């Protein structure tokens, strides 16, 4: 909806000028077509006859077209004043009938006289005029309803896009505090243990936050940068666990010149470290990312930690599932298997 964008630099008159141009172009095209047919069928028509038949009377009918289009429909029909609308349209058609017959009397030799010299009776001409006027009223009503329908559809699409953009912005904003909360818990644990790796962990967190603040403002980011961000997060967790962190992380395929929505995969990895067992060498966290034929396949599996439960709830996974529905509709598959001892997530996205 254009009025919702007051800061956009544009010239409002340009659109109106184009509408007027296309309306004029349409009517001129229609009139020119009928003049051409008349010239072919009756080459003896004079310029005066052509002007009266194909300019004067069409102008009268077109004036009724726009009277209904610009005045009657907005003032009565759009406001659900149906009886008033029907009455004003009927009165206008009758008045236009009398008016056109009056004009016909002025140009009687062209309008009211047959080629054989017979004068058209008033009622015959009047009924014909009513029929013609009804056609123009119907056309203007159909055009108005069509343009209003398309305009309303566009407004609804714009509103829906704005709603989705706002929802995505909200979901994305939830990621930073959620991630920061978990990371600070990890660093707090290191600091509490007076670990020598605490400064390195803070530096790694700084690199991660720099990426989240300055690299993720676009709708899509380079896949290789997003994977480096995941690697930094894994490195941070390894600092937290020390030599007891075991994760099998592999990247396969060509990741260059590929784009992905930012901060989309981190929730699965966070979930694996938070609820899984990362210090069992016999059951490491398995993480595989494969890129082929424009499709990304993400696989992560972890041994479940039965004693670690998130009292807040799974904000991260709920968030990412909602973002997938909004960003990759009908372009992703997500399979989560919550088994007795293992938790597995498989995600496939058409990039």
């Amino acid at each position: 909806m254009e009025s919702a964008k007051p800061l956009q630099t544009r010239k409002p008159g340009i659109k109106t000028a184009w509408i007027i141009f296309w309306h004029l172009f349409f009517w001129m095209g229609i009139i020119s077509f009928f003049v051409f047919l008349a010239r072919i069928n009756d080459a003896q028509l004079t310029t005066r006859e052509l002007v009266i038949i194909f300019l004067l009377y069409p102008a009268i009918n077109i004036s009724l077209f726009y009277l209904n289009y610009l005045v009657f429909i907005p003032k009565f029909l759009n406001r659900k004043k149906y009886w008033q609308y029907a009455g004003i349209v009927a009165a206008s058609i009758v008045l236009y009938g009398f008016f056109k017959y009056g004009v016909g009397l002025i140009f009687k030799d062209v309008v009211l006289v047959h080629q054989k010299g017979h004068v058209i009776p008033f009622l015959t001409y009047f009924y014909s005029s009513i029929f013609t006027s009804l056609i123009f009223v119907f056309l203007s009503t159909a055009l108005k309803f069509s343009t209003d329908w398309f305009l309303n559809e566009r407004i609804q699409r714009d509103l829906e896009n704005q709603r989705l953009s706002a929802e995505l912005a909200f979901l994305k904003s939830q990621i930073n505090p959620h991630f920061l909360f978990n990371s600070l818990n990890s660093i707090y644990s290191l600091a509490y243990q007076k670990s020598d790796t605490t400064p390195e962990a803070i530096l790694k967190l700084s690199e991660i936050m720099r990426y989240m603040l300055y690299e993720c403002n676009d709708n899509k980011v380079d896949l290789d940068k997003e994977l480096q961000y995941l690697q930094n997060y894994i490195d941070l967790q390894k600092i937290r666990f020390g030599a007891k962190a075991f994760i099998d992380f592999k990247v396969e395929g060509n990741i260059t010149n590929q784009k992905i929505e930012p901060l989309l995969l981190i929730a699965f990895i966070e979930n694996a470290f938070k609820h899984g067992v990362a210090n069992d060498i016999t059951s490491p966290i398995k993480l595989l990312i494969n890129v082929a034929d424009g499709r990304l396949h993400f696989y992560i599996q972890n041994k479940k930690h039965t004693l670690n439960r998130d009292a807040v709830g799974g904000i991260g996974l709920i968030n990412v599932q909602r973002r997938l529905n909004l960003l990759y509709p009908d372009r992703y598959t997500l399979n989560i298997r919550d088994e007795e001892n293992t938790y597995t997530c498989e995600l496939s996205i058409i990039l």
Side-chain angles (χ1 to χ4, degrees), residues 96-274:
Y96 264 79
F98 282 109
F99 177 71
K100 284 189 282 187
Y101 186 77
V103 174
L105 290 175
I106 297 174
F107 304 103
K108 183 177 181 180
D109 59 318
V110 177
V111 179
L112 299 180
V113 178
H114 283 302
Q115 292 180 352
K116 296 182 180 181
H118 300 295
V119 178
I120 302 176
F122 168 74
L123 288 178
T124 302
Y125 183 86
F126 189 73
Y127 291 146
S128 175
S129 174
I130 289 178
F131 178 75
T132 303
S133 297
L134 283 172
I135 291 176
F136 278 83
V137 169
F138 171 78
L139 290 176
S140 61
T141 304
L143 177 63
K144 186 65 176 176
F145 272 84
S146 298
T147 53
D148 286 351
W149 184 84
F150 282 110
L151 178 61
N152 288 333
E153 283 293 305
R154 190 185 70 178
I155 291 173
Q156 291 300 322
R157 286 197 301 268
D158 290 344
L159 290 175
E160 180 65 12
N161 290 335
Q162 292 177 15
R163 185 189 69 80
L164 293 178
S165 297
E167 184 175 354
L168 282 171
F170 173 72
L171 290 173
K172 191 174 177 181
S173 70
Q174 285 184 311
I175 296 173
N176 287 1
H178 183 250
F179 167 81
L180 186 60
F181 176 78
N182 290 337
S183 299
L184 288 176
N185 273 346
S186 300
I187 294 177
Y188 171 78
S189 178
L190 293 174
Y192 183 79
Q193 299 170 16
K194 298 182 180 180
S195 172
D196 294 335
T197 59
T198 302
E200 184 182 355
I202 295 174
L203 181 61
K204 187 65 66 172
L205 178 61
S206 174
E207 293 176 359
I208 292 173
M209 295 305 298
R210 185 181 297 111
Y211 173 79
M212 298 176 72
L213 290 174
Y214 300 111
E215 301 285 342
C216 298
N217 294 325
D218 295 331
N219 291 333
K220 290 190 176 183
V221 297
D222 292 333
L223 179 59
D224 53 354
K225 291 183 178 180
E226 182 74 6
L227 296 184
Q228 181 59 51
Y229 158 70
L230 299 182
Q231 182 65 64
N232 287 337
Y233 175 81
I234 293 171
D235 292 342
L236 179 62
Q237 296 302 317
K238 286 182 177 180
I239 293 173
R240 170 192 169 193
F241 284 97
K244 297 181 180 180
F246 301 100
I247 179 168
D248 183 11
F249 181 24
K250 295 179 181 179
V251 176
E252 299 176 348
N254 183 15
I255 63 173
T256 58
N257 300 322
Q258 299 284 355
K259 297 284 187 177
I260 191 173
E261 295 289 338
L263 311 178
L264 197 60
L265 306 175
I266 185 62
F268 298 104
I269 303 176
E270 280 188 289
N271 188 68
F273 276 101
K274 189 172 184 181

Side-chain angles (χ1 to χ4, degrees), residues 71 126 128 280 337:
V71 180
F126 189 73
S128 175
D280 188 347
R337 297 192 299 274

Side-chain angles (χ1 to χ4, degrees), residues 19-36:
I19 292 175
I20 295 174
F21 168 78
W22 284 113
H23 278 245
L24 289 173
F25 180 80
F26 172 79
W27 292 121
M28 290 176 64
I30 293 294
I31 293 172
S32 299
F33 174 73
F34 282 104
V35 170
F36 174 74

